[in-house]
Amino acid sequence: MGQIRVLDEHIANQIAAGEVVERPASVVKELVENAIDAQSSRIDVHIGEGGLEYIRVQDNGQGIAADDCETAFYRHATSKLVDDRDLYQITSLGFRGEALPSIAAVSKVELLSSATDDGAGRRLLIEGGTLKVNEDEAAPRGTDFRVNSLFYNTPARLKYMKTVQTELGHISDVMYRMSLAHPEIAFTFRHNGNLLLQTPGTGDMLQVIAAVYGTSAAKMVLPLEGENLDYQIGGYIGRPEIAKSSRNAMSIVVNGRYIRNYAVNQAILRAYHTLLPINRYPLAVLQLTMHPSLVDVNVHPSKMEVRFSKEAELMLFVEEAIRQTLRKEILIPHATKQTIKRGNSESIIQEQFNFSKAPVEYLEPEKTNQLSTELGDLDAPYIPPFTDADLPPESTTHLPAVSNEQQITYKKKEQPITSPVTEAQKVPASPNDSITQPKDVQSDPVQPSHPLPAYTAPVHAESAPQIQEQSQTAQYAKSTAAPSKNTSGSSSRLPQQRGNYNNTNQRLFNAEMLYGTAEEPEIPQFPDMNLIGQHHGTYLVAQNDEGLFLIDQHAAHERINYEFYYEKFGRPEEVSQELLLPITLEFTLAEANKLKDRLHWFERVGVYLEHFGGQTFRVTAYPYWLPKGEEQQVIEEMAEWVLSERAIDLAKLREQASTLCSCKASIKANQKLTEAEAQSLLDRLATCRQPYTCPHGRPIVVSFSSYDLEKMFKRVM
């Protein structure tokens, strides 16, 4: 007699329940999804004791016809699919027909549903997968689904359930995601009779965000919009000051389905590049809309994981859409909540800035020489804009150059010569140089070979799309239009803006080439401030017509240096200098063996490190602009990072090296600055591409509006 036999239907349902019904939150998710598919406008969820005692989901949707009520509990019975072609165009949340039989197999289920408005309905009672009652009963249009004594007949599953509060937390998370995914539905959620969530169902996602995260968070989010040929994105993203301690505040909705996707999460985090401190995550609710054929939702029984057919393009689209939204805002956090009386209620108001940044009036050469040498690192050289031809082949991206409204020349300080240097080997000035501005010299700024695309932060190689060469060439030819000419025949000057120049190799493409963004969004200028003084040698105090500002001098100098060093590390072959006396570094035997295979990565950033035998390495050359006196420590920390990374990426290495150098070269707290030095710091911060946070994500500027001050002193009540 053969040993292979078909499992009993009841056992098969219990096994399937282990995949579909992992915990009470899984039951809530499946039942709410069915209610959404029924085109409900109101869904009420009641649970008791974390869902283990009872779960009740009521909706006012289409309901289930009397003849279909029993059939709905058969395995793989569904109204969502007809043939295999429907698998490639799934628009419903549920489609497998596994949820109801799996839930009924491990609980006591009562169903009351009506598909008509005449009050006639059908009631079913199922215990452990066995039908007990199937009878007519009066019911309003819609479905009332009750699940009692979950896992009562599977004690092994019940034993592994967590505490009531833990299970309640999982159910709450499901309800929050569902309400954010469908703001057009009015949700109510109660636990043991206590109301935990209520949404109006007006279709306004901002009201749902207020119901889930609170009104203060809802007032600190930014609307997100974007569209291209394949995708449409909407939703809201939070300002950096309301960052969370976990990724739970990032919600991704694809065609009305809440999903979890690591690649999309990483795209969101890359868009917030240097805007968030370490281990802080943004509040984001993304609604992605695309053709069903571009996403496969039939990947996992829980339907929480999906596959995108054009994932690389989608990731870059999401990242660019979020980055452009953030660039349109002045991201200066407010020190206090701003409220204004409207009748008998108080409302939080958002301060608006509308400043026109006047050209910086740099000091004359004779006045510049009077600055203290201890702040020499503030005076990083001006870097003119350059084209893609100036980039090394291995560079994946770089930060844009500063504005060309003022052409500035710099006088290089005398430096000790450690090796012979020819005219061809001379390099630009270092960040320790002083600023000079000849009054009678006017130079014509370098014109880029193509219009300025949107600024992008470092993008890692694994996230960049691969686009067909033919379409790439056509799009790039379109973007390389000749620069406009002025009346005198010379090239017109570039507008004052913080632009970007992307590498046009196969691994990175600008926004215009990828999804046809024709216009650069208007970028708000950094507020113009008048320096008042310095507080405790740490914070600069400034003001303007709108209020008072406190500036962290160390964070500000870090941002200035970071953008300088990131630019420099993008072209390391121009700046390395050989050493007469090499620097010697020692590592453990295991580290030395690993480091020998990774020496080529140091050359990518201009550091030439060679094995000197045993556990010893020596540095024979490094960029001359490394922080003076900190060169060995910077290279040692760079080596520690290279050893700790499992897979090294050039963009990450470049960013890490820039961050290390910027921190070492910056002024510290409790360091007194002269008025000229402090003003120079503010002026140079205003020219940064992202002047609101340091490379570690800490805020640089905090503002007090005039209304804040008046309220503090009780001038307004």
Side-chain angles (χ1 to χ4, degrees):
M1 183 178 178
Q3 297 182 354
I4 299 177
R5 59 185 178 274
V6 179
L7 282 176
D8 180 81
E9 184 71 16
H10 177 68
I11 298 177
N13 285 337
Q14 285 191 321
I15 294 174
E19 299 175 350
V20 178
V21 186
E22 180 183 359
R23 59 190 340 135
S26 305
V27 176
V28 174
K29 175 181 177 295
E30 297 291 346
L31 297 182
V32 172
E33 285 183 346
N34 286 342
I36 294 173
D37 286 340
Q39 300 180 6
S40 305
S41 62
R42 190 192 74 249
I43 300 176
D44 301 322
V45 178
H46 306 258
I47 66 172
E49 298 301 321
L52 295 174
E53 182 177 339
Y54 68 89
I55 298 172
R56 183 180 183 182
V57 178
Q58 296 173 283
D59 68 69
N60 64 345
Q62 295 175 342
I64 306 175
D67 296 339
D68 290 336
C69 286
E70 183 177 344
T71 308
F73 287 89
Y74 294 160
R75 199 172 179 204
H76 302 306
T78 178
S79 62
K80 317 295 174 58
L81 301 179
V82 177
D83 52 38
D84 58 349
R85 290 178 298 180
D86 293 336
L87 280 174
Y88 302 99
Q89 297 187 18
I90 296 175
T91 57
S92 58
L93 299 181
F95 54 89
R96 287 196 179 95
E98 292 181 316
L100 295 187
S102 298
I103 294 171
V106 293
S107 65
K108 299 176 182 179
V109 170
E110 182 178 356
L111 171 68
L112 180 62
S113 183
S114 175
T116 63
D117 294 323
D118 57 7
R122 181 61 63 92
R123 174 176 175 268
L124 270 69
L125 181 61
I126 303 175
E127 294 184 3
T130 303
L131 180 63
K132 299 293 186 180
V133 176
N134 186 356
E135 61 185 11
D136 294 332
E137 186 168 317
R141 186 183 184 93
T143 302
D144 186 352
F145 206 107
R146 306 185 189 190
V147 178
N148 300 312
S149 305
L150 185 62
F151 300 132
Y152 81 100
N153 57 349
T154 53
R157 299 289 305 280
L158 189 61
K159 180 176 65 175
Y160 289 102
M161 290 296 101
K162 305 300 181 182
T163 64
V164 170
Q165 291 302 320
T166 300
E167 299 301 333
L168 174 60
H170 288 290
I171 298 175
S172 299
D173 185 68
V174 169
M175 291 303 302
Y176 295 157
R177 312 294 184 181
M178 291 292 185
S179 61
L180 290 168
H182 295 275
E184 75 281 1
I185 299 177
F187 287 91
T188 58
F189 172 47
R190 288 180 170 86
H191 177 250
N192 292 340
N194 299 318
L195 181 64
L196 301 182
L197 174 67
Q198 185 172 16
T199 64
T202 59
D204 187 355
M205 185 186 292
L206 198 59
Q207 292 181 326
V208 182
I209 293 176
V212 174
Y213 297 108
T215 55
S216 59
K219 294 177 184 296
M220 298 295 289
V221 296
L222 308 172
L224 176 67
E225 293 181 356
E227 186 176 4
N228 67 5
L229 295 178
D230 292 322
Y231 310 108
Q232 183 178 356
I233 189 172
Y236 290 87
I237 57 174
R239 296 172 66 92
E241 55 261 42
I242 59 171
K244 307 296 181 179
S245 59
S246 70
R247 293 182 174 88
N248 291 337
M250 292 190 292
S251 300
I252 307 164
V253 181
V254 177
N255 293 345
R257 180 191 306 276
Y258 165 68
I259 67 166
R260 296 193 184 110
N261 189 278
Y262 175 79
V264 178
N265 284 345
Q266 291 303 305
I268 297 173
L269 294 177
R270 286 195 300 271
Y272 277 85
H273 177 68
T274 72
L275 288 174
L276 298 176
I278 187 172
N279 296 328
R280 302 292 290 181
Y281 304 93
L283 188 157
V285 182
L286 305 188
Q287 283 191 328
L288 296 171
T289 305
M290 63 192 72
H291 193 274
S293 62
L294 294 176
V295 57
D296 182 10
V297 300
N298 190 24
V299 176
H300 190 273
S302 67
K303 302 185 291 294
M304 294 283 287
E305 300 176 10
V306 300
R307 289 197 184 103
F308 299 106
S309 60
K310 300 170 68 175
E311 184 176 274
E313 290 87 341
L314 176 60
M315 298 309 107
L316 191 56
F317 171 67
V318 170
E319 182 179 345
E320 186 67 17
I322 297 176
R323 181 177 294 118
Q324 294 295 347
T325 300
L326 292 171
R327 291 186 69 223
K328 297 174 184 177
E329 299 295 322
I330 295 180
L331 302 177
I332 297 179
H334 299 284
T336 61
K337 292 183 179 179
Q338 302 166 54
T339 59
I340 184 170
K341 284 279 188 179
R342 289 189 176 94
N344 296 326
S345 62
E346 283 191 346
S347 301
I348 296 179
I349 61 173
Q350 176 68 43
E351 182 180 355
Q352 300 294 328
F353 292 99
N354 185 16
F355 303 111
S356 58
K357 178 67 179 177
V360 179
E361 296 181 3
Y362 289 92
L363 298 177
E364 297 179 1
E366 58 272 15
K367 294 183 180 180
T368 306
N369 295 332
Q370 299 175 4
L371 296 181
S372 172
T373 57
E374 68 177 355
L375 198 64
D377 288 347
L378 287 176
D379 303 320
Y382 172 80
I383 305 170
F386 52 90
T387 64
D388 296 327
D390 298 321
L391 290 173
E394 62 272 19
S395 176
T396 59
T397 186
H398 61 277
L399 290 172
V402 296
S403 170
N404 287 284
E405 285 297 323
Q406 303 89 20
Q407 183 71 16
I408 308 171
T409 59
Y410 295 84
K411 180 179 178 182
K412 183 176 179 181
K413 291 184 178 179
E414 296 183 0
Q415 299 181 359
I417 299 177
T418 56
S419 60
V421 180
T422 64
E423 282 294 320
Q425 295 173 326
K426 287 185 178 180
V427 292
S430 72
N432 296 320
D433 298 343
S434 300
I435 299 175
T436 60
Q437 172 67 12
K439 296 182 179 179
D440 56 347
V441 177
Q442 294 184 358
S443 58
D444 192 16
V446 180
Q447 294 292 326
S449 60
H450 56 279
L452 303 182
Y455 160 62
T456 57
V459 177
H460 307 313
E462 63 268 21
S463 67
Q466 298 292 338
I467 299 180
Q468 294 181 0
E469 183 177 357
Q470 182 178 1
S471 62
Q472 173 193 352
T473 305
Q475 291 285 355
Y476 182 68
K478 179 181 178 182
S479 66
T480 53
S484 59
K485 302 288 184 179
N486 58 20
T487 55
S488 62
S490 60
S491 297
S492 61
R493 290 183 178 270
L494 295 177
Q496 184 172 354
Q497 61 182 355
R498 293 190 289 273
N500 172 66
Y501 305 85
N502 282 345
N503 188 4
T504 56
N505 59 29
Q506 281 191 336
R507 298 168 59 186
L508 185 65
F509 303 91
N510 60 48
E512 182 177 356
M513 292 168 57
L514 186 61
Y515 27 80
T517 302
E519 297 183 359
E520 175 77 3
E522 183 178 353
I523 302 172
Q525 294 181 341
F526 191 75
D528 193 6
M529 307 176 187
N530 298 320
L531 181 69
I532 298 176
Q534 187 182 28
H535 175 68
H536 284 182
T538 302
Y539 303 102
L540 303 182
V541 184
Q543 68 175 351
N544 61 20
D545 293 339
E546 298 296 326
L548 187 71
F549 297 86
L550 296 180
I551 301 96
D552 187 328
Q553 64 186 33
H554 173 71
H557 199 193
E558 267 193 314
R559 166 54 60 177
I560 295 168
N561 285 332
Y562 170 79
E563 296 193 2
F564 167 77
Y565 285 118
Y566 192 88
E567 188 76 37
K568 285 298 187 181
F569 275 118
R571 296 179 286 181
E573 71 283 352
E574 303 177 3
V575 293
S576 292
Q577 62 179 5
E578 295 185 2
L579 304 178
L580 292 178
L581 298 176
I583 298 175
T584 302
L585 305 177
E586 291 189 355
F587 301 90
T588 65
L589 187 59
E591 291 174 340
N593 292 332
K594 188 176 182 179
L595 195 60
K596 285 189 292 186
D597 298 329
R598 300 190 172 189
L599 294 180
H600 62 283
W601 286 108
F602 291 88
E603 298 181 11
R604 296 287 191 92
V605 291
V607 176
Y608 291 85
L609 187 66
E610 64 180 26
H611 187 219
F612 197 55
Q615 302 170 220
T616 305
F617 292 78
R618 67 176 185 176
V619 181
T620 59
Y622 59 71
Y624 80 95
W625 35 255
L626 288 184
K628 297 299 180 288
E630 303 284 351
E631 297 90 345
Q632 180 170 346
Q633 187 175 357
V634 168
I635 297 173
E636 286 178 346
E637 294 185 17
M638 196 183 305
E640 292 177 1
W641 184 86
V642 169
L643 290 170
S644 64
E645 288 294 304
R646 182 173 301 178
I648 301 176
D649 179 83
L650 179 59
K652 289 183 179 179
L653 176 60
R654 181 181 171 190
E655 180 183 354
Q656 183 70 14
S658 304
T659 303
L660 289 173
C661 290
S662 65
C663 188
K664 301 294 182 184
S666 299
I667 56 176
K668 304 300 187 288
N670 298 319
Q671 183 172 347
K672 300 294 183 180
L673 304 181
T674 65
E675 182 178 352
E677 292 169 343
Q679 188 63 53
S680 175
L681 180 64
L682 286 181
D683 293 340
R684 295 193 52 233
L685 177 64
T687 65
C688 289
R689 274 77 72 185
Q690 198 286 90
Y692 305 113
T693 60
C694 76
H696 307 97
R698 292 194 302 107
I700 295 175
V701 185
V702 174
S703 70
F704 293 81
S705 70
S706 298
Y707 181 83
D708 291 333
L709 300 177
E710 291 174 349
K711 194 170 181 64
M712 290 178 188
F713 288 98
K714 307 301 181 184
R715 289 180 174 268
V716 294
M717 302 297 291

